Amino acid sequence: MKKKITVIGSSNVDFLIKTNRLPRMGETITDGVFMQTYGGKGANQALSASRSGGKVTFISSLGTDDYAGTMVRNFNAEGIDTRFMYKKKDAATGTAMIMLDREGNNYITVAPEANYLLTPACIDAALNVLLESEIIVLQMEIPWETTEYIYSLAKKHKLKIQFNLAPFRPFDDKVLKDTWVLAVNETEAEGITGLQVVTDDDVRNAARALVDLGAEHVIITLGAQGAVAATRDRFLEVPAFSVDSVDTTAAGDVFCGSLAVALSEGRSMPDALRFAAAASAISVTRLGAQPSIPHRKEIDTFLESS
Ligand code: ADP
């Protein structure tokens, strides 16, 4: 039977223009190709968890525009429980503007809009769902007050939290003591620890520092270099699968969503990490965020043939 996972986080509509090169300040470039997609770390991780085999409830705050309606319909069609995808009156859905050049360099600006209207009361309304979940999956694109509230509920009811501390912004690190799995990339690890994370030794030191801050399992993802995982008494290297990468957007989100599913199924950490590495490797071979997210069958087949 599918295990229950609750993802609480952002939903965005992404407007992407790809040009040969990025503009300088004040410059207009007119050779762009336009693509509108749906994203937000919360939404990407919810979709990844659902496609990799979880029974997912997504708690998120959207506006009342047409984008919100389409997002909820899409997620319903994916089999995700959308009862707590709130449509906030008079609000706009979170929006990201992405400029991309042909080498994959980008400028991204985000307007959180309705994402910042996800209040503790929105979480309370879904308390029963949280209580039934094997894992609660969080990121950093909702109000910090709400994240702290979710942590207080998790502490009270002994719920497991997987926290992808992304994008990094200053926060109260006392929550790490109540974090079951902390997943970050190098930049976020640097932000939290204040340590430089460049060499293999740096990665080990940062992982150790994050364990010292209280997270039970620490995972640092390293793009095409794979990931490392640490606990108080273990250190594990997780190689990335070798694939032809065309777009790494949302690789971290696919990693987190699929990891939560594998862990919810009671797999060991090394097994779960291999599953997540496979899911994210598949996703980087395809363009776009949500369209690139693989299904369980593909992940299992990929693992069997690797
Ligand atoms: P983020 O997008 O959060 O920075 P990463 O770039 O570290 O996350 O990617 C997360 C995971 O996705 C990696 O640990 C790795 O398993 C996988 N991954 C990322 N890029 C590649 C790649 N080029 N080839 C294979 N796997 C990749």
Side-chain angles (χ1 to χ4, degrees), residues 26 38 54 79 108 153 224 240 244 248 253:
Y38 295 98
I108 301 179
L153 291 176
D244 289 328
T248 60
D253 292 335

Side-chain angles (χ1 to χ4, degrees), residues 171-191:
F171 72 112
D172 184 347
D173 64 18
K174 75 170 190 300
V175 301
L176 295 180
K177 290 192 175 57
D178 300 311
T179 300
W180 185 46
V181 176
L182 174 70
V184 291
N185 66 15
E186 304 103 305
T187 316
E188 290 136 16
E190 283 185 353

Side-chain angles (χ1 to χ4, degrees), residues 102-268:
R102 62 179 167 203
E103 264 103 52
N105 303 306
N106 60 35
Y107 287 129
I108 301 179
T109 49
V110 173
E113 302 292 343
N115 289 305
Y116 271 23
L117 302 177
L118 190 73
T119 58
C122 302
I123 309 301
D124 263 338
L127 181 61
N128 282 340
V129 174
L130 267 65
L131 296 183
E132 290 176 351
S133 299
E134 300 287 332
I135 302 184
I136 295 165
V137 177
L138 303 179
Q139 316 78 28
M140 281 291 259
E141 293 184 327
I142 59 170
W144 180 249
E145 175 203 10
T146 306
T147 301
E148 281 189 317
Y149 184 67
I150 298 163
Y151 266 97
S152 71
L153 291 176
K155 203 167 173 173
K156 183 167 167 198
H157 300 286
K158 298 196 169 23
L159 308 172
K160 286 180 176 165
I161 292 191
Q162 175 183 303
F163 192 10
N164 172 219
L165 217 149
F168 173 77
R169 56 188 158 95
F171 72 112
D172 184 347
D173 64 18
K174 75 170 190 300
V175 301
L176 295 180
K177 290 192 175 57
D178 300 311
T179 300
W180 185 46
V181 176
L182 174 70
V184 291
N185 66 15
E186 304 103 305
T187 316
E188 290 136 16
E190 283 185 353
I192 304 167
T193 61
L195 300 169
Q196 177 182 285
V197 183
V198 180
T199 65
D200 290 354
D201 278 348
D202 293 346
V203 173
R204 268 178 189 266
N205 290 338
R208 213 168 288 131
L210 293 170
V211 170
D212 285 343
L213 284 171
E216 192 173 332
H217 295 273
V218 167
I219 296 158
I220 304 182
T221 63
L222 308 163
Q225 261 67 51
V228 299
T231 59
R232 202 151 275 295
D233 44 37
R234 265 185 91 180
F235 188 84
L236 182 74
E237 286 178 11
V238 189
F241 289 92
S242 170
V243 291
D244 289 328
S245 160
V246 296
D247 179 9
T248 60
T249 315
D253 292 335
V254 172
F255 189 93
C256 289
S258 54
L259 179 71
V261 172
L263 291 174
S264 76
E265 292 174 356
R267 297 196 191 193
S268 68

